Amino acid sequence: MSTHSITIAGKTYGSRLLVGSGKYKDFAENAAAAEASGAEIVTVAIRRVNLGQDAGAPNLLDFIRPERYTLLPNTAGCYTAEDAIRTCRLARELLDGHRLVKLEVLGDPKTLYPDITATLEATKVLVKEGFEVMVYCTDDPIQCKRLEELGCVAVMPLAAPIGSGLGIQNRYNILSIVENAKVPIIVDAGVGTASDAAIAMELGCDGVLMNTAIAEAKNPVLMASAMRHAIIAGREAFLAGRMPRRRYASASSPLDGVIG
Amino acid sequence: MSTHSITIAGKTYGSRLLVGSGKYKDFAENAAAAEASGAEIVTVAIRRVNLGQDAGAPNLLDFIRPERYTLLPNTAGCYTAEDAIRTCRLARELLDGHRLVKLEVLGDPKTLYPDITATLEATKVLVKEGFEVMVYCTDDPIQCKRLEELGCVAVMPLAAPIGSGLGIQNRYNILSIVENAKVPIIVDAGVGTASDAAIAMELGCDGVLMNTAIAEAKNPVLMASAMRHAIIAGREAFLAGRMPRRRYASASSPLDGVIG
Amino acid sequence: MSTHSITIAGKTYGSRLLVGSGKYKDFAENAAAAEASGAEIVTVAIRRVNLGQDAGAPNLLDFIRPERYTLLPNTAGCYTAEDAIRTCRLARELLDGHRLVKLEVLGDPKTLYPDITATLEATKVLVKEGFEVMVYCTDDPIQCKRLEELGCVAVMPLAAPIGSGLGIQNRYNILSIVENAKVPIIVDAGVGTASDAAIAMELGCDGVLMNTAIAEAKNPVLMASAMRHAIIAGREAFLAGRMPRRRYASASSPLDGVIG
Amino acid sequence: MSTHSITIAGKTYGSRLLVGSGKYKDFAENAAAAEASGAEIVTVAIRRVNLGQDAGAPNLLDFIRPERYTLLPNTAGCYTAEDAIRTCRLARELLDGHRLVKLEVLGDPKTLYPDITATLEATKVLVKEGFEVMVYCTDDPIQCKRLEELGCVAVMPLAAPIGSGLGIQNRYNILSIVENAKVPIIVDAGVGTASDAAIAMELGCDGVLMNTAIAEAKNPVLMASAMRHAIIAGREAFLAGRMPRRRYASASSPLDGVIG
């Protein structure tokens, strides 16, 4: 089990932090934040971001350079399995046969919560078509396992709603998912600040993907650096094995489950 | 306001993490953890640790070398103002006129909670005698301010009981203390893992002092490194200015104070 | 909107608390607890409890009398849609055409977490066969809405794993489910003590179903009474409209979303 | 140990809920809320409320009738020991030798946090003068014990700042105070809704005093009733002995202190 590198679909990355490419002032700020974050994977909403489709507009790939970052096309904005599948195929075309995708099939435009049944359906098709599917999903331990069994290369439960910054709402669910997984578990969505990311890693998650927490900080580049350190901190704390929680220093003061 | 350095009693230190010197397997492990933590201040229980008083036993100063670390003698184990004052004087003698001390006057041996009235009393005497007093205290905003007004060079409220690893119990108190302070506020006691330290820094604390969280981790040296990163992460996140918490990504979904 | 009564599938009940019939010392204790709870609906694991199938053994119906309580047969122990459907049909037979059932299709025997896809599948069949389905499910707002749309007469998201007593893990999810629902939302599973039940009701839930929290209290009958009051307290507090949370009494101290 | 009655300074009251007399629309609403709450003790800010000092204005005593309620004069608005002592003497005069008082000495007008050192000082004088002192204080276990030792008839630690509605911030402190006390421990200040009151009682507190949570609810009278039930619920749950918290229903799933 490596400390700071993570292997997804057979490729090893030097950072357990994955970042996004939306909500920044411009591509330059996005690139500076990605750089400061240490991330090696940058996810891209394939329907919203110009990767060359519009020859006259700024191209993200001139800032987030493919020789440096692994681009992770995602299906943000898709509300049906069909739509998400179509978007993945488009991404493969645009990116010369690129197979790694982040699948998200949303349930409604208000909560941006995943539609888990449509997600399962799309997963089956995409895996069959040879995609390497990283999948955004609810923090439901049963369905996370099913997505793994369907062949996803990483399972990405939400911590809280996309763009909420609320931090991990259900730590027990995340812990159950992690304990039961054989592929990387990467918390996706809901992280708001550095300690949220550290907590995800302390629970044993393999990585964290975030966008808004960095892009909407007052100083995105400094927050990106904070997140880089938070991921390292949480990972090392997990591997180091924390002290037990107890009421007092004395040996005979275990927690008794009264307070939660 | 510097990012990672902290100035206490006119001297600037490169790290906002302060570490301890108890509960380790041996002095060598203690030194390795201090090194990995990046700390420049190491606190020492003057009554328990050999700084040369016992010429035949291992001397901490051969491991935690004074030319590298600022030693911070503390009064652990003192339950009266008199006892704590006497211990500080002893420290000054042992350490050739050293003025910087961490005052703790404990209320009882079970909780190791500070006795705030005895602490105020001892503070008055020590400040008058020329000590530079860093003071362990409750997270009571009123008394923290009073300790500052009495001349303490840093005020050190507990996050939770010493050695409990429970993390910050009362975030609002810590925030109120920080907002109202003109001297460094350093969380002392109760941190259990990396995210706890990050949270303290995100609240605007100037530093964190910890011992058990590192010494009683399964791998103390790795946990020390985790804490180093956590302090940096929390500090940068604080300065970067986090995104607001909200229920959903949509602009019109503020939290309404229903859930806490 | 009535204060203390709840209408499910067209029938009105005087209490918003639903209780169970497992884990008690004996049927007499179960009956005493049901009485103290004020509940009018008692759920029964149709495969585990003797309702007359075994003529020689004590019969629950002699203690929890059908003329006083509405029996709610449940499919505890079923891990497939087929099995759950079969169990509901059996209940209908045993109970003379009884149509109200609590559907649970479990994902695994360790977590007792619902299998949401199998639950959706069973729901479709049962609704078509004329059952009035109250459905145990995850706290996933999208799937809760879908279960309502499929015709369930009540949707019953978990607060935490069955038998855990951990209390509501994801308050934002429960709140989203409630805000979006047109049928009663009844928290099912995970409540551990009185305040947990009150919190569910304060979030706007229409009711709470619990078993272990009462049955495994040291004094089940007294805990049943506690739960009766907790449900009333939470319901009234919800209807009364709580004061806003703020840092201080002064008007100008709103919470700013820093602390969560 | 009685279930629902509480004995303070030798007198037994039928309710463990104590309510206030400020922030209501008028005395009539105050009286209706007190009635609905079931409280038998009503605290009164002796400097702010007309108990007959102003013969031409409405008199609280015409609404909160002394033959029905025990009036508990309090020293709200006092920032020094002297001022608080003077106010208690004034109360004794106004109320014909009444000895029971609630002492509060505040640290500053923003946080309304108690000044614990001034509180200790005032306590000594008042006890000596024959007052029966119920004392508002911080949730500091050491000072709570000291206030008991000085002769207070009840110790009243805050849950959170006065008027904040934040609920109990430091459950471990409240628990430590309760475990160590020989006089009634009554949570005073900070309760926001019914579940907060239930939690206080579940921790073993002997009672709760609240004002803003009722007076500033949209419907104060209904909230008063909610609080009445919440206190009963929490008390009964405490006495009933809750089930242990655990990750799953299976016997072998204890909490391991990782999540807090």
Side-chain angles (χ1 to χ4, degrees), chain D:
Chain D
M1 191 161 54
S2 73
T3 302
H4 296 301
S5 67
I6 180 175
T7 301
I8 301 170
K11 184 169 171 191
T12 298
Y13 303 88
S15 168
R16 290 171 177 274
L17 175 57
L18 293 74
V19 299
S21 59
K23 305 189 182 181
Y24 286 96
K25 199 178 54 183
D26 52 31
F27 286 163
E29 188 187 59
N30 192 338
E35 173 74 26
S37 77
E40 301 185 1
I41 298 179
V42 179
T43 189
V44 183
I46 212 70
R47 298 181 147 198
R48 295 181 182 154
V49 174
N50 185 28
L51 303 177
Q53 304 100 306
D54 178 351
N59 183 335
L60 181 72
L61 301 183
D62 293 335
F63 294 82
I64 304 289
R65 303 191 66 83
E67 60 271 26
R68 170 152 195 164
Y69 296 101
T70 293
L71 283 194
L72 177 60
N74 70 59
T75 63
C78 295
Y79 291 87
T80 63
E82 296 68 37
D83 215 15
I85 294 165
R86 202 178 312 126
T87 302
C88 288
R89 290 175 187 152
L90 172 64
R92 183 154 55 177
E93 222 168 285
L94 273 172
L95 296 167
D96 301 319
H98 189 93
R99 296 168 61 207
L100 192 69
V101 291
K102 178 161 95 88
L103 170 65
E104 42 181 287
V105 188
L106 303 177
D108 77 50
K110 180 182 175 189
T111 65
L112 302 180
Y113 221 85
D115 179 334
I116 194 67
T117 49
T119 300
L120 288 160
E121 198 186 319
T123 296
K124 285 178 208 166
V125 174
L126 290 169
V127 168
K128 206 170 162 187
E129 296 190 5
F131 285 96
E132 294 165 340
V133 180
M134 301 176 67
V135 61
Y136 166 62
C137 55
T138 61
D139 63 352
D140 170 342
I142 303 299
Q143 300 310 321
C144 283
K145 191 62 188 173
R146 195 149 305 168
L147 288 162
E148 175 189 321
E149 291 165 350
L150 288 177
C152 291
V153 299
V155 175
M156 307 180 72
L158 49 69
I162 290 177
S164 68
L166 290 170
I168 297 186
Q169 293 301 298
N170 192 330
R171 299 187 189 189
Y172 288 107
N173 272 5
I174 297 294
L175 189 58
S176 294
I177 293 165
V178 165
E179 290 172 343
N180 205 25
K182 296 205 179 93
V183 295
I185 300 299
I186 298 173
V187 157
D188 182 10
V191 162
T193 190
S195 54
D196 296 338
I199 290 168
M201 298 307 292
E202 288 166 356
L203 289 170
C205 290
D206 298 281
V208 177
L209 186 152
M210 63 181 75
N211 183 51
T212 314
I214 295 176
E216 294 197 1
K218 290 208 185 73
N219 182 337
V221 176
L222 188 55
M223 186 58 91
S225 173
M227 292 299 184
R228 181 171 77 85
H229 287 287
I231 294 290
I232 294 171
R235 178 65 179 169
E236 290 185 344
F238 171 71
L239 294 175
R242 63 159 295 163
M243 64 175 287
R245 294 162 57 88
R246 54 192 168 219
R247 284 192 58 199
Y248 310 114
S250 51
S252 55
S253 64
L255 295 179
D256 56 4
V258 166
I259 293 176

Side-chain angles (χ1 to χ4, degrees), chain B:
Chain B
M1 190 162 55
S2 73
T3 303
H4 295 301
S5 66
I6 182 175
T7 300
I8 301 170
K11 185 170 170 192
T12 298
Y13 303 89
S15 168
R16 290 170 176 275
L17 176 56
L18 293 74
V19 299
S21 57
K23 305 189 180 179
Y24 287 97
K25 199 178 53 183
D26 52 32
F27 286 163
E29 188 187 59
N30 192 339
E35 173 75 24
S37 76
E40 300 185 1
I41 299 179
V42 178
T43 190
V44 183
I46 213 70
R47 298 180 147 199
R48 295 180 183 156
V49 173
N50 185 27
L51 304 177
Q53 304 100 306
D54 178 349
N59 183 335
L60 180 72
L61 302 183
D62 293 334
F63 293 82
I64 304 289
R65 305 191 64 83
E67 60 271 25
R68 169 154 196 163
Y69 295 100
T70 293
L71 283 194
L72 177 61
N74 70 58
T75 63
C78 295
Y79 291 87
T80 63
E82 296 66 39
D83 216 15
I85 293 165
R86 202 178 312 124
T87 302
C88 288
R89 289 176 187 150
L90 172 66
R92 184 154 58 178
E93 221 168 285
L94 272 172
L95 296 167
D96 299 320
H98 189 94
R99 297 168 59 208
L100 192 70
V101 293
K102 178 161 96 89
L103 171 65
E104 40 182 290
V105 189
L106 303 177
D108 76 49
K110 180 181 175 190
T111 66
L112 302 180
Y113 220 84
D115 179 335
I116 193 68
T117 49
T119 301
L120 288 160
E121 197 186 320
T123 297
K124 285 177 207 167
V125 174
L126 290 169
V127 168
K128 207 170 161 187
E129 295 190 4
F131 285 96
E132 292 165 340
V133 180
M134 301 175 68
V135 61
Y136 166 62
C137 55
T138 62
D139 62 353
D140 170 343
I142 303 300
Q143 300 311 321
C144 282
K145 190 63 188 175
R146 195 148 304 167
L147 288 162
E148 175 189 322
E149 290 165 351
L150 288 177
C152 291
V153 299
V155 174
M156 307 179 73
L158 49 68
I162 291 176
S164 69
L166 290 170
I168 297 184
Q169 293 302 297
N170 192 329
R171 298 187 189 188
Y172 288 107
N173 271 5
I174 297 293
L175 189 59
S176 294
I177 293 165
V178 164
E179 289 173 343
N180 205 24
K182 295 206 179 90
V183 294
I185 300 299
I186 298 173
V187 158
D188 183 9
V191 162
T193 189
S195 54
D196 295 337
I199 290 168
M201 299 307 291
E202 288 166 357
L203 289 170
C205 290
D206 298 281
V208 178
L209 188 152
M210 64 182 73
N211 184 50
T212 314
I214 296 177
E216 294 197 1
K218 292 209 184 70
N219 182 337
V221 175
L222 187 55
M223 186 56 91
S225 174
M227 291 299 185
R228 182 171 77 84
H229 286 287
I231 294 290
I232 294 173
R235 177 66 178 168
E236 291 186 345
F238 172 70
L239 294 175
R242 66 160 291 162
M243 65 174 289
R245 292 162 58 89
R246 56 192 167 218
R247 287 191 57 199
Y248 309 114
S250 52
S252 55
S253 65
L255 295 179
D256 57 3
V258 167
I259 295 175

